[in-house]
């Protein structure tokens, strides 16, 4: 009996010893992080929603960890340029990505080689579920509802619609509306949301889709009229109905989309968890609250919740993206 007891303890001790290096590595990684400045690469231009989220959350993280968080804008190729740089970075928690659904999901469909594989090269940390993007029409169209827009598109024959990149949510929205209503709306792709709204201000677009706040320059100058929101009502404009409420039937109009953060895949889980905790804690920061309120966004959610949302919406995004019929470039 005594011998059996000793053997059991010997096996348990051995198992514990084998586990110790993993535990110590994770504890050490968490204790040592961060040891220097953190780079937060924003894969879209300055001035848009993604950029302002990166700066607000980055400032909070900097205060909490005692190291500078430098936000670097690396736009281009639907977010792929900045994302590929993060994917190649040292997986030690000192390089983060701030981007959107297009980067995390659609680029795998519309690009032959975006320079990264989301599932192999990156780990999603925390996301901010999307609010209802606005669909805005040029006042010259006379459009005030989805029904009006469909009628205008049919009558005009040639209608353009601004997007902030190929394969983006606005691009897929156009495609789904074209399929349902038998239209031939043409997408006009920009390198980010801010330049897209500039195009709307200049009067070169018939319509466009994007965030509530970024659209204010257009709305406040009477250069645009909101005729729908994507999938969620926007509290500050409750009279504007969602696309499904106005008869649009695509499953794509049930997804929220998101903005959020990722790190290189091999980053220690202890560091990933800490970053996710910081993103969630930042929701209570006054500056972060201001940005969330301004863009009518929900707060950032934790690591498990973020990855569950990603897995739930992934097949819908992929199905819609593939239906664009784009030849991967």
């Amino acid at each position: 009996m005594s011998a059996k007891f000793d053997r059991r303890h010997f096996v348990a001790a051995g198992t514990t010893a084998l586990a110790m290096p993993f535990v110590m590595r994770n504890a050490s990684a968490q204790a040592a992080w961060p040891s220097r400045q953190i780079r937060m690469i924003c894969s879209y231009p300055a001035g848009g929603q993604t950029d302002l989220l990166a700066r607000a959350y980055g400032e909070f993280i900097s205060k909490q960890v005692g190291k500078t968080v430098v936000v670097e804008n690396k736009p281009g190729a639907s977010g792929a340029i900045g994302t590929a740089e993060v994917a190649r970075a040292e997986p030690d928690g000192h390089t983060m990505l701030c981007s959107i659904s297009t980067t995390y999901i659609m680029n795998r469909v519309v690009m032959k080689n975006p320079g990264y594989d989301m599932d192999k090269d990156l780990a999603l940390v925390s996301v901010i579920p999307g609010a209802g993007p606005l669909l805005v029409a040029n006042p010259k169209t006379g459009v005030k509802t989805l029904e009006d827009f469909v009628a205008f598109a049919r009558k005009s024959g040639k209608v353009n619609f601004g997007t902030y990149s190929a394969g983006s949510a606005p691009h897929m929205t156009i495609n789904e509306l074209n399929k349902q209503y038998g239209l031939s709306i043409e997408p006009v792709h920009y390198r980010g949301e801010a330049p897209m709204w500039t195009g709307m201000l200049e009067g070169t677009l018939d319509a466009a889709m994007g965030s509530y706040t970024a659209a204010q320059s257009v709305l406040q100058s009477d250069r645009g009229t909101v005729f729908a929101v994507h999938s969620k009502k926007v509290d500050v404009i409750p009279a504007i109905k969602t696309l499904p409420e106005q008869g649009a039937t695509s499953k794509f109009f049930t997804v929220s989309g998101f903005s959020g953060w990722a790190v290189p895949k091999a980053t220690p889980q202890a560091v990933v968890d800490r970053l996710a905790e910081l993103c969630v804690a930042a929701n209570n920061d006054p500056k972060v609250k201001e940005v969330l309120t301004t863009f009518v966004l929900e707060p950032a959610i934790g690591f498990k919740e973020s990855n569950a949302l990603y897995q739930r919406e992934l097949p819908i995004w992929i199905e819609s993206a593939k239906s664009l019929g784009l030849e991967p470039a």
Side-chain angles (χ1 to χ4, degrees):
M1 220 175 145
S2 174
K4 288 181 182 178
F5 179 84
D6 289 342
R7 281 198 298 272
R8 283 198 301 270
H9 276 69
F10 176 79
V11 171
T15 303
T16 302
L18 288 171
M20 280 181 66
F22 174 79
V23 173
M24 290 175 66
R25 281 197 304 272
N26 276 274
S28 175
Q30 190 169 17
W33 180 88
S35 60
R36 62 180 186 276
Q37 173 180 288
I38 298 170
R39 297 174 69 211
M40 185 182 292
I41 293 178
C42 176
S43 63
Y44 285 87
Q49 175 179 301
T50 313
D51 172 66
L52 295 177
L53 286 170
R55 294 180 188 281
Y57 278 83
E59 184 177 337
F60 176 84
I61 292 171
S62 176
K63 290 177 182 177
Q64 299 303 306
V65 302
K67 298 292 182 182
T68 303
V69 175
V70 177
V71 176
E72 299 178 18
N73 296 94
K74 298 289 181 73
S78 300
I81 292 175
T83 304
E85 184 167 338
V86 174
R88 295 190 299 266
E90 189 70 24
D92 56 9
H94 293 92
T95 306
M96 302 174 64
L97 172 69
C98 185
S99 197
I100 61 174
S101 305
T102 299
T103 302
Y104 294 125
I105 297 176
M106 270 76 73
N107 284 353
R108 71 184 75 191
V109 176
V110 300
M111 295 182 179
K112 285 182 181 177
N113 181 19
Y116 64 95
D117 182 312
M118 177 62 201
D119 299 323
K120 294 179 180 178
D121 299 333
L122 294 162
L124 200 61
V125 173
S126 173
V127 304
I128 296 173
L134 312 183
L135 281 78
V136 180
N138 190 314
K140 71 181 181 183
T141 65
V143 168
K144 294 184 179 179
T145 65
L146 176 60
E147 183 179 5
D148 291 342
F149 182 66
V150 171
F152 172 77
R154 284 177 175 158
K155 182 179 178 180
S156 302
K158 187 175 182 180
V159 174
N160 64 38
F161 195 111
T163 89
Y164 41 78
S165 66
S168 63
H171 190 191
M172 287 191 284
T173 295
I174 297 164
N175 186 57
E176 297 297 340
L177 292 176
N178 279 342
K179 287 193 295 182
Q180 180 174 344
Y181 295 104
L183 305 174
S184 55
I185 304 166
E186 296 182 1
V188 179
H189 303 304
Y190 290 82
R191 293 182 63 192
E193 189 176 0
M196 179 193 73
W197 290 122
T198 298
M200 193 78 179
L201 277 170
E202 293 170 347
T204 58
L205 296 173
D206 294 313
M209 175 178 137
S211 63
Y212 174 83
T213 301
Q216 290 307 301
S217 60
V218 170
L219 301 179
Q220 292 176 4
S221 61
D222 295 324
R223 300 290 182 89
T225 302
V226 182
F227 66 92
V229 291
H230 188 262
S231 57
K232 291 182 180 180
K233 299 279 279 189
V234 177
D235 291 341
V236 292
I237 47 172
I240 305 298
K241 294 181 179 180
T242 65
L243 287 170
E245 287 176 329
Q246 297 189 59
T249 58
S250 170
K251 287 190 295 183
F252 181 66
F253 301 139
T254 67
V255 300
S256 64
F258 57 85
S259 302
W261 295 270
V263 291
K265 189 73 170 183
T267 302
Q269 188 60 43
V271 175
V272 175
D273 290 341
R274 177 61 178 145
L275 280 169
E277 290 168 1
L278 287 166
C279 288
V280 172
N283 295 328
N284 294 316
D285 178 76
K287 288 188 178 180
V288 169
K289 280 184 174 181
E290 182 179 355
V291 175
L292 294 176
T293 300
T294 297
F295 286 102
V296 201
L297 294 173
E298 297 178 17
I301 57 179
F303 173 79
K304 289 183 178 179
E305 296 88 346
S306 296
N307 283 273
L309 182 148
Y310 172 78
Q311 293 298 332
R312 183 170 61 251
E313 294 196 351
L314 178 64
I316 299 174
W317 284 95
I318 293 297
E319 181 182 348
S320 292
K322 286 182 176 178
S323 74
L324 293 173
L326 295 175
E327 285 293 327

